[in-house]
Amino acid sequence: QEEWYAKRPIDAKWPPEMRDLQARVLVQLGEPAKAESIERALVAANPDDATHLATLGIAAASAGDTRSARAISVRLARAAAALPQNDAIKGGPIALARARLAAALGDSAGTAAFLEEAVHDEHTWIYFMHGYPIFHRFAAYPALQEVAKVRG
């Protein structure tokens, strides 16, 4: 399935969610430059979309451009700070985006903290954490294990 996405031509007619998924797969397959190309177009069309910003930052980090990735992290932090307090509808997606980008930058504490925030805002369900391969390398990190515990 991943190779299928990688072999597909980049099609601007695809919905943004599908193009973002294609970019994520390209990063996983070691083609961050192609992923960056997709995400730059998506961010140009919607500069405030946290998901696309995070994927662009992840692609940059994967290509070794941590400076750009950190600049996007700062941009997402500013977006989160500008929200009214307890705005879970907008805050949850930003927290998840920040967790994904923190993971790409190797920040295990940030990854866990932002995932906790996303889960708290009911934007991310625990099982979705397993659907993001970027989080897998932190599976043994105690704070992330704490976030992943089933809560009753």
Side-chain angles (χ1 to χ4, degrees):
Q1 180 182 12
E2 291 175 347
E3 290 181 20
W4 182 86
Y5 278 108
K7 291 178 182 175
R8 305 297 324 150
I10 298 169
D11 189 344
K13 295 177 190 172
W14 280 11
E17 298 80 17
M18 291 299 295
R19 287 184 280 157
D20 184 72
L21 180 59
Q22 185 181 28
R24 291 182 204 190
V25 169
L26 287 166
V27 167
Q28 289 175 25
L29 294 176
E31 298 192 42
K34 287 183 182 178
E36 280 188 80
S37 175
I38 293 168
E39 290 301 332
R40 284 188 201 289
L42 291 170
V43 169
N46 191 351
D48 297 325
D49 188 290
T51 298
H52 301 316
L53 284 167
T55 306
L56 178 59
I58 291 165
S62 296
D65 184 2
T66 57
R67 183 177 179 194
S68 292
R70 291 187 193 289
I72 291 170
S73 181
V74 168
R75 186 171 169 182
L76 289 169
R78 287 184 183 140
L83 292 175
Q85 195 167 13
N86 298 323
D87 188 345
I89 292 173
K90 292 181 183 172
I94 293 173
L96 179 60
R98 293 179 77 192
R100 292 176 51 228
L101 186 49
L105 290 167
D107 178 3
S108 52
T111 300
F114 296 133
L115 275 174
E116 175 68 36
E117 185 179 335
V119 168
H120 179 267
D121 288 346
E122 297 182 0
H123 175 73
T124 300
W125 293 279
I126 299 300
Y127 62 85
F128 275 175
M129 290 169 44
H130 303 290
Y132 286 96
I134 199 155
F135 298 137
H136 294 177
R137 71 178 113 165
F138 297 107
Y141 184 66
L144 193 58
Q145 290 176 345
E146 188 64 32
V147 172
K149 282 185 182 175
V150 176
R151 297 174 183 175

